[in-house]
Amino acid sequence: MTLFRGTFLDTPDNPFTGGTLRVATDAALLVEDGVITARGTYSELRNAHPAERVVDLTGGLVLPGFVDTHVHFPQIRAVGGMGMPLLEWLDKYALPEEARMADPAYASSVADEFVRGLAAAGTTSALVFGAHFAEAVDTLFTAASRVGLRITSGLVVSDRILRDDLLTTPERAYTESLALASRWHGVGRNRYAVTPRFSLSCTDELLATCHNVLEEIPGALFTSHLNENEAEIATVAELFGGSDYVSTYEKHGLVDHRSVLAHNVHPTDVELKVLGDAGATVAHCPTSNAALGSGLFPLGRHLDHGVRVALGSDVGAGTGFSLLKEGLQAYFCQQLMGDHGHPLTSAHLLRLATTAGAEALGLADQVGDLSVGKRFDAQLLRPADGSPLAVGVAHADDYEEVLARVFTLGTPADIRAVWIDGQLLDDSSLEVG
Ligand code: GUN
Ligand code: ZN
């Protein structure tokens, strides 16, 4: 057993429905076998457990580990492409790099960079878009297992329009997906996600196969892209006989509480109703939406329809692994929408980056906040002395303001330690900023 002592911030009471930021100063959490078994003031818990080891984190801020609900493992070397909208960016920038994943040795070094980047950003759980090559997906699960991250991922499948070397067939997709799931789903902290790239690159036959695979893997998730870019949406409508984008998945039984669909910048109200009724989640990827010029995310309309929303970094169209940066960009986006924007506080941003993500991934009973009964997945933020963030934190009036400054000025360099199941991740996983 270990007592973690410090200042803990989290959002078990949903700020989107009237809850507020939970703040515990000079507090302690008792962690046994990775699970938080008691919470209280430090003196209370210390008196009750005088012999336990104390990890003293005072002087920093302890937040739940972040949950990234949409990030592409093969794209870490493709961050920073400028000047292109989605379809051109895919063709010229992202997909040539994804094709290199055919080489397992290349994929393995990218997988190492990727998991280190996630951990260094304070991300402890992620729904990861895998690669089009089964062996490359193996290398991702292997690397994630080495670091100890909570990863849900799978084989990305497509059978039309993309470059030939990224295409598969429904039969091969079925066999390879189930083989990967049998190796990794439920093994350690790994789980499987059925992952057609987007309906633009998938025939009805392939999407029907995706449903069959999903039904064969109890506890698996479904993830894809949705309504990201206007040219993409128009092409999907042409390919599917005028149907809306959500229907292309929904008609194959792919829209329910297991579904995490990225972007949804341009939904119709009908689509939002389907998503809300189904209990599906939209992964909001704000830096990606800005970088590719995809548009401004209608968060208020999602909330009005009861659609669950969480955050995704969408590396490599997104600009890095930090969910602090995504939170800030989510805030900017709503500000830029004026009267149509949904006002966001720092507590909303923390909720989006933690508990909302845990709910999306079906992990809310385990992670997302630091309540008794949850696993201790956490990160320590401590800015360098004299840095603008340290100055801002020192002069904030309350912890909502502290957290606003963290989202505004914080970077992976401020994250000093990360724990999963109460275990400190290896220093080596924290070297990359
Ligand atoms: N739609 C299909 N593939 C992709 C991708 O790799 N990134 C983004 N942002 N959108 C996509
Ligand atoms: Zn994406």
Side-chain angles (χ1 to χ4, degrees):
M1 292 199 285
T2 305
L3 269 182
F4 289 90
R5 176 184 191 180
T7 296
F8 301 88
L9 304 182
D10 62 359
T11 51
D13 305 320
N14 189 354
F16 287 97
T17 52
T20 53
L21 179 67
R22 177 166 66 171
V23 179
T25 56
D26 206 12
L29 304 183
L30 183 68
V31 175
E32 295 181 56
D33 296 329
V35 177
I36 301 166
T37 54
R39 247 186 98 102
T41 65
Y42 174 68
S43 59
E44 245 166 52
L45 284 198
R46 188 59 178 148
N47 288 339
H49 302 277
E52 300 313 333
R53 184 171 80 102
V54 175
V55 176
D56 192 345
L57 306 174
T58 49
L61 294 169
V62 182
L63 306 181
F66 288 143
V67 182
D68 189 339
T69 64
H70 186 74
V71 55
H72 294 252
F73 126 67
Q75 294 180 4
I76 178 169
R77 297 184 187 181
V79 171
M82 291 188 174
M84 290 165 279
L86 173 67
L87 297 178
E88 188 188 350
W89 176 83
L90 281 172
D91 264 4
K92 294 201 177 137
Y93 212 74
L95 298 186
E97 175 64 12
E98 296 221 6
R100 296 189 187 106
M101 300 296 138
D103 172 1
Y106 186 91
S108 172
S109 43
V110 171
D112 280 338
E113 295 164 359
F114 177 80
V115 294
R116 287 156 61 97
L118 281 180
T123 296
T124 49
S125 298
L127 176 55
V128 178
F129 236 77
H132 288 270
F133 304 95
E135 271 193 74
V137 180
D138 269 317
T139 70
L140 171 69
F141 280 124
T142 302
S145 306
R146 195 161 50 237
V147 171
L149 293 173
R150 246 179 251 291
I151 292 294
T152 307
S153 189
L155 182 69
V156 179
V157 297
S158 289
D159 65 346
R160 65 176 170 191
I161 295 177
L162 305 187
R163 47 187 289 159
D164 283 350
D165 50 356
L166 298 182
L167 299 182
T168 187
T169 60
E171 296 71 30
R172 222 179 90 208
Y174 181 83
T175 312
E176 291 182 355
S177 301
L178 287 179
L180 273 168
S182 73
R183 280 200 290 285
W184 295 107
H185 185 61
V187 176
R189 300 180 185 125
N190 302 301
R191 295 182 308 157
Y192 198 78
V194 176
T195 312
R197 184 161 204 117
F198 54 164
S199 50
L200 188 146
S201 67
C202 300
T203 62
D204 275 309
E205 291 69 33
L206 185 61
L207 292 171
T209 299
C210 287
H211 178 253
N212 295 340
V213 174
L214 189 59
E215 292 305 293
E216 294 220 17
I217 315 171
L221 296 189
F222 173 77
T223 191
S224 194
H225 294 93
L226 178 67
N227 283 323
E228 179 175 2
N229 164 289
E230 280 167 342
E232 170 214 19
I233 296 165
T235 310
V236 166
E238 269 169 41
L239 290 166
F240 287 89
S243 126
D244 72 42
Y245 211 137
V246 167
S247 302
T248 64
Y249 300 123
E250 208 254 333
K251 73 173 170 184
H252 292 292
L254 295 170
V255 178
D256 63 22
H257 65 282
R258 299 169 291 185
S259 313
V260 180
L261 294 156
H263 301 286
N264 208 30
V265 178
H266 306 285
T268 64
D269 283 343
V270 171
E271 289 178 297
L272 287 170
K273 179 159 184 356
V274 171
L275 294 171
D277 290 350
T281 300
V282 166
H284 175 29
C285 305
T287 71
S288 167
N289 293 343
L292 296 180
S294 302
L296 296 170
F297 180 69
L299 175 61
R301 288 177 58 219
H302 281 72
L303 298 175
D304 289 346
H305 286 86
V307 181
R308 304 197 286 167
V309 176
L311 277 185
S313 66
D314 198 26
V315 159
T319 61
F321 288 107
S322 177
L323 289 195
L324 294 175
K325 192 181 346 181
E326 294 305 327
L328 181 65
Q329 185 69 32
Y331 169 77
F332 287 162
C333 174
Q334 297 309 308
Q335 289 293 94
L336 286 167
M337 289 170 76
D339 289 345
H340 298 293
H342 189 281
L344 292 173
T345 65
S346 61
H348 290 114
L349 303 185
L350 185 62
R351 175 82 183 190
L352 287 170
T354 56
T355 319
E359 287 174 349
L361 271 54
L363 294 173
D365 57 333
Q366 298 178 49
V367 299
D369 65 53
L370 301 171
S371 299
V372 170
K374 298 284 168 77
R375 313 200 70 90
F376 188 71
D377 282 17
Q379 55 180 316
L380 173 68
L381 263 110
R382 198 172 50 221
D385 289 345
S387 63
L389 178 54
V391 172
V393 166
H395 295 280
D397 285 339
D398 57 32
Y399 277 94
E400 284 232 357
E401 197 164 83
V402 165
L403 190 60
R405 290 170 184 195
V406 166
F407 272 100
T408 305
L409 290 161
T411 73
D414 301 306
I415 296 168
R416 301 307 177 92
V418 177
W419 295 264
I420 296 183
D421 282 340
Q423 300 213 302
L424 185 62
L425 297 195
D426 219 316
D427 280 344
S428 62
S429 62
L430 297 175
E431 279 167 18
V432 227

